[in-house]
Amino acid sequence: MVRSRTVELEGHIIDSGMMQRCFGVVMDLDGEFEVEEFRVGKHKDEESYARMTVSADDEETVRSILHELHQNGAHVPNPSDVALKPAPEDQVVPHGFYSTTNHPTQVRYDGEWLPVENIEMDCAVVIDPDERRAATKVLNAIEEGDLVVTDESGVRVAPPERPRGGGGPFGFMQGGVSSERPSESLIREIGETIAETKENGGKVLAVVGPALIHSGAGDDLARLVREGYIDMLSAGNGFAVHDIERGRYGTSLGMDIETLEHPRKGHKHHIYTISEVIRAGGIAAAVEDGLIEDGVMYECVENDVPYVLAGSIRDDGPLPDTITDAVEAQNAVREQAHEADLVLMLSTLLHSVAVGNCLPSTTRVVCVDINPATVTQLLDRGSAQAIGMVTDVGTFVPTLAETVLERASSN
């Protein structure tokens, strides 16, 4: 027996690709659709509307189709209030709980649409009835008795729409990855975006890997920190060690940054560096003692730029500042991600993915890596406000710093 449901699409559903994606979902899942009403926005700021009936041979298939359509911004007409169930115990969610996307989301509670605060992917949504607020919670933060949203009834998702103007780095360049892009002009546009973000009171988060130091770009990133263009830093133990080693010995993982040679006993420099910072009591203490006199971490300490160093199983040492508890590190990264308005992901896959998982799809992201697969993987995680560059971070960061600081001096 054929089952059917009606869904609605609203907004710039044509040029954003929403309608096309929804049609594809229905066909890919062996369903059928019939467009009952279609109103096309005829002006730049005018939205379009479509109502269509989705049908399939069984109820389970219809539910699967509706789930996918919901993720793409479709919603059922005349929705009911959201369904809530209490969490049975700490860190345990009810069966059928709603798992979030990273797109802006609302839930209908007591006849009112509530925005879901701190939206990020793969979380539960908890409602506080006293405060009439809805917010995401990761599973390990769920407490017994939390009112958890279940199913998708009363939930609306609004994927970001493609800018119609197509201007700037987050316009025509978005969504694709290529090493053949006009790099200098794109870097210039990214620099303009960083400056505009700061001028508008926004915050810039840099997510960086050790290759940035190894490629010789550390001094230029340090300049951006010193001049106030980087508000937060997210990295691993390795980045901080390479940065401090470079200042102490002129090497990064034993290689001389200037000559690209490996000095005698240079392979021991990173472990010497770790030992010296541990002896001092941490990075800030080492700066105070004069042990660290330059570099990215030095500028972070001197300019009160908060940093998160998330540890891994392969870390040497680690440095005292490195957070070795994975959940604690996730929470620290999450706090930074929720504050960021623009994120620079520079040559680090693992830390960029970790931060990317915590970002709403509306946060602007720039991802730079020499490996096209890294850039593609990061941009495919759902953000419509992201651009990627396949290039050497050792070329990108100095050019970016020059662009940003030249703009500042000319104003």
Side-chain angles (χ1 to χ4, degrees), residues 140-327:
N140 60 45
I142 292 291
E143 299 176 282
E144 181 179 355
D146 278 346
L147 293 179
V148 180
V149 172
T150 58
D151 205 359
E152 291 162 353
S153 59
V155 180
R156 279 188 173 179
V157 174
E161 297 176 342
R162 187 184 306 276
R164 283 195 167 189
F170 295 91
F172 75 97
M173 299 298 287
Q174 69 180 359
V177 177
S178 172
S179 57
E180 299 178 354
R181 290 178 169 179
S183 298
E184 288 189 12
S185 61
L186 181 54
I187 294 173
R188 187 162 51 250
E189 291 179 347
I190 293 170
E192 292 285 336
T193 303
I194 291 173
E196 290 170 3
T197 298
K198 294 299 300 173
E199 289 167 4
N200 293 329
K203 292 187 177 182
V204 179
L205 167 62
V207 184
V208 292
L212 188 146
I213 304 298
H214 208 58
S215 65
D219 287 344
D220 294 284
L221 182 62
R223 289 171 64 201
L224 289 173
V225 174
R226 182 169 60 250
E227 297 299 328
Y229 290 98
I230 302 297
D231 300 282
M232 299 172 285
L233 185 82
S234 180
N237 183 73
F239 172 83
V241 173
H242 279 42
D243 175 63
I244 300 169
E245 175 193 343
R246 194 264 184 198
R248 293 286 295 161
Y249 300 99
T251 60
S252 173
L253 205 60
M255 184 190 76
D256 189 296
I257 296 296
E258 302 298 330
T259 66
L260 304 185
E261 296 177 350
H262 289 79
R264 182 175 177 81
K265 294 186 178 181
H267 63 284
K268 297 184 178 182
H269 288 172
H270 80 286
I271 202 68
Y272 289 166
T273 298
I274 295 169
S275 175
E276 291 161 3
V277 175
I278 291 175
R279 185 178 296 110
I283 294 174
V287 170
E288 184 178 350
D289 291 348
L291 181 69
I292 302 174
E293 298 180 328
D294 57 18
V296 178
M297 301 312 300
Y298 171 84
E299 297 296 346
C300 285
V301 172
E302 288 292 285
N303 295 280
D304 295 321
V305 172
Y307 54 86
V308 172
L309 302 180
S312 73
I313 197 169
R314 66 184 184 276
D315 286 340
D316 290 323
L319 296 172
D321 304 74
T322 300
I323 304 173
T324 56
D325 182 284
V327 173

Side-chain angles (χ1 to χ4, degrees), residues 341-374:
D341 298 286
L342 174 64
V343 181
L344 303 176
M345 297 180 171
L346 305 175
S347 196
T348 171
L349 175 60
L350 294 181
H351 290 279
S352 294
V353 168
V355 173
N357 285 346
C358 302
L359 292 173
S361 61
T362 50
T363 300
R364 289 179 167 185
V365 175
V366 177
C367 177
V368 179
D369 201 285
I370 197 67
N371 184 354
T374 296

